[in-house]
Amino acid sequence: MNMTIVALRRAVRRSTTLVLLAAIPLYLLGLWAIEPDRSAVPGGIVDHDRTESSEALIDRLARNLGPVRLVNTNDITVGLISAEIHYAVVIPSGFSAALHTDAPLPVEVVAVRSEEILRRVAEALQPESSPGAVESAVALPAASAVRALGILLLLMMILAWLNALDICDDRHRLILNRMLCAPKGLRSYTAHYLTALGLLSTAQALLALTALALTHRLPPDRLARLMVVLLLFAALSAALSVAIVARTRRARSASLVASFIVVPAAMLGGSFWPREMMPALLQRVSLLVPTAWADEMIHHVLAGGRLSHIAVFAGMMVLATLGLVLLGPWTRRDIGRMPSTRPFAS
């Protein structure tokens, strides 16, 4: 446990670690704070009916939720992603005729940002004489939440990257050599460092999800599923860090190898820009990197899906983690041997 505490203190004293822990919560809270009017919810309406009844429905939405504008069906996705609209209502032809029947209103609702908007839109759509008025309501993941969690994946990899550099630094300071002469040896040393990294990654995920709960009002079960996804990815990042340490000798080499892995994985996995904006070929290629698996899982969970529905991606992440663990430093007998006995200069 002493070595774990030493590793934690070493990481926390570094200002970069504190930035990595606080970046996403500050980003989410900052966006939430500058949002001008959280009570007003701009919407887009696709009116295929064009009758007095549909116009009355549009007026009701405008009175209850905020400004609305007419859009085309093809503009809905773009408007939701860009946050120009926070929900869309598609009013089909035959809407007026359905008002005089006992069947639910044939209205489709697509909402983004939170389930609270879905609830408010559904209430506004329900006429007083007909409860349960919405035919289908689909909640899309909030653009800002997806963006923040995509960046969080990158920050988790950077945190693991710094862990790898610390281990390389210990090797060149001959600390690792002394550990190998101790009763516990290399496995204990690595386990302590991974424990410290796991605690930091857990704190990083908890802070981000707490900010997400405050700004997006996600239900606890959805936050719990997101936590599972983030911890799976944190474990994979930690395994990657020790695999890099085992295959490199100096901190400079480890940093170079990590940069060639982390940056392309972040670009393909949705940390820099939404994967939906990439060409179809690149979207398929991106599924070769674990960041894209985590991105797919995050999208699915934010949209209300269960973990059982993304078991394939979770299984792939676990297998990749185990594979990287097998490449760890305990597989190298020469891990503690130095090309020079001169201590590393600080």
Side-chain angles (χ1 to χ4, degrees):
M1 181 60 69
N2 290 337
M3 191 62 200
T4 301
I5 295 174
V6 169
L8 280 173
R9 286 177 179 173
R10 185 179 189 180
V12 171
R13 286 174 183 167
R14 185 171 44 219
S15 58
T16 307
T17 302
L18 301 179
V19 171
L20 294 176
L21 293 175
I24 299 304
L26 291 177
Y27 168 75
L28 287 169
L29 293 173
L31 287 181
W32 180 77
I34 64 176
E35 190 175 349
D37 184 5
R38 284 182 285 274
S39 62
V41 183
I45 309 296
V46 181
D47 187 2
H48 293 305
D49 195 53
R50 298 186 180 277
T51 61
E52 292 183 0
S53 298
S54 64
E55 291 177 0
L57 178 62
I58 295 172
D59 290 339
R60 191 189 317 153
L61 288 170
R63 288 196 307 271
N64 293 340
L65 296 175
V68 297
R69 61 190 180 93
L70 295 176
V71 297
N72 296 320
T73 305
N74 296 332
D75 297 332
I76 291 177
T77 302
V78 175
L80 292 174
I81 292 176
S82 63
E84 293 180 1
I85 58 175
H86 290 168
Y87 73 91
V89 173
V90 180
I91 305 175
S93 57
F95 170 78
S96 299
L99 289 175
H100 305 290
T101 67
D102 295 330
L105 301 181
V107 175
E108 181 181 358
V109 181
V110 180
V112 71
R113 196 175 65 173
S114 73
E115 292 184 343
E116 176 68 14
I117 295 178
L118 271 179
R119 182 187 63 79
R120 292 176 61 186
V121 173
E123 289 177 352
L125 288 174
Q126 292 175 5
E128 296 180 0
S129 59
S130 176
V134 181
E135 182 183 75
S136 61
V138 181
L140 295 180
S144 57
V146 172
R147 192 91 238 88
L149 292 176
I151 299 173
L152 180 62
L153 299 180
L154 171 61
L155 299 185
M156 281 185 163
M157 288 190 291
I158 294 176
L159 191 63
W161 179 350
L162 295 176
N163 180 71
L165 298 185
D166 284 342
I167 297 176
C168 286
D169 188 33
D170 282 351
R171 183 188 304 172
H172 283 272
R173 289 177 183 271
L174 301 181
I175 295 174
L176 184 54
N177 295 63
R178 292 194 292 271
M179 285 294 299
L180 293 178
C181 297
K184 294 184 178 179
L186 178 62
R187 292 185 181 181
S188 175
Y189 168 87
T190 309
H192 281 294
Y193 256 93
L194 290 180
T195 301
L197 178 58
L199 292 173
L200 288 172
S201 297
T202 301
Q204 189 180 32
L206 283 174
L207 288 171
L209 293 181
T210 300
L212 202 61
L214 292 173
T215 56
H216 290 72
R217 298 180 182 177
L218 292 179
D221 61 330
R222 200 165 300 182
L223 290 171
R225 290 195 287 271
L226 283 174
M227 188 67 184
V228 172
V229 173
L230 294 177
L231 290 181
L232 283 174
F233 188 79
L236 187 145
S237 299
L240 175 63
S241 72
V242 295
I244 291 174
V245 168
R247 303 299 150 181
T248 56
R249 280 206 146 300
R250 297 180 179 274
R252 184 179 299 175
S253 301
S255 183
L256 185 63
V257 171
S259 65
F260 274 109
I261 296 174
V262 171
V263 175
M267 293 173 67
L268 290 173
S271 295
F272 291 162
W273 47 71
R275 290 176 55 246
E276 295 80 3
M277 295 177 60
M278 297 191 303
L281 177 60
L282 274 183
Q283 290 187 41
R284 290 193 291 270
V285 171
S286 70
L287 292 177
L288 297 175
V289 298
T291 42
W293 309 340
D295 183 67
E296 286 286 333
M297 295 168 74
I298 287 170
H299 273 77
H300 191 82
V301 170
L302 284 174
R306 297 186 175 276
L307 288 177
S308 58
H309 297 159
I310 46 178
V312 172
F313 287 115
M316 291 165 62
M317 201 170 292
V318 170
L319 290 176
T321 301
L322 294 176
L324 290 170
V325 166
L326 294 177
L327 297 175
W330 37 79
T331 61
R332 295 287 298 272
R333 294 183 179 180
D334 61 340
I335 195 72
R337 283 195 295 213
M338 299 287 296
S340 170
T341 58
R342 185 174 60 183
F344 180 70
S346 22

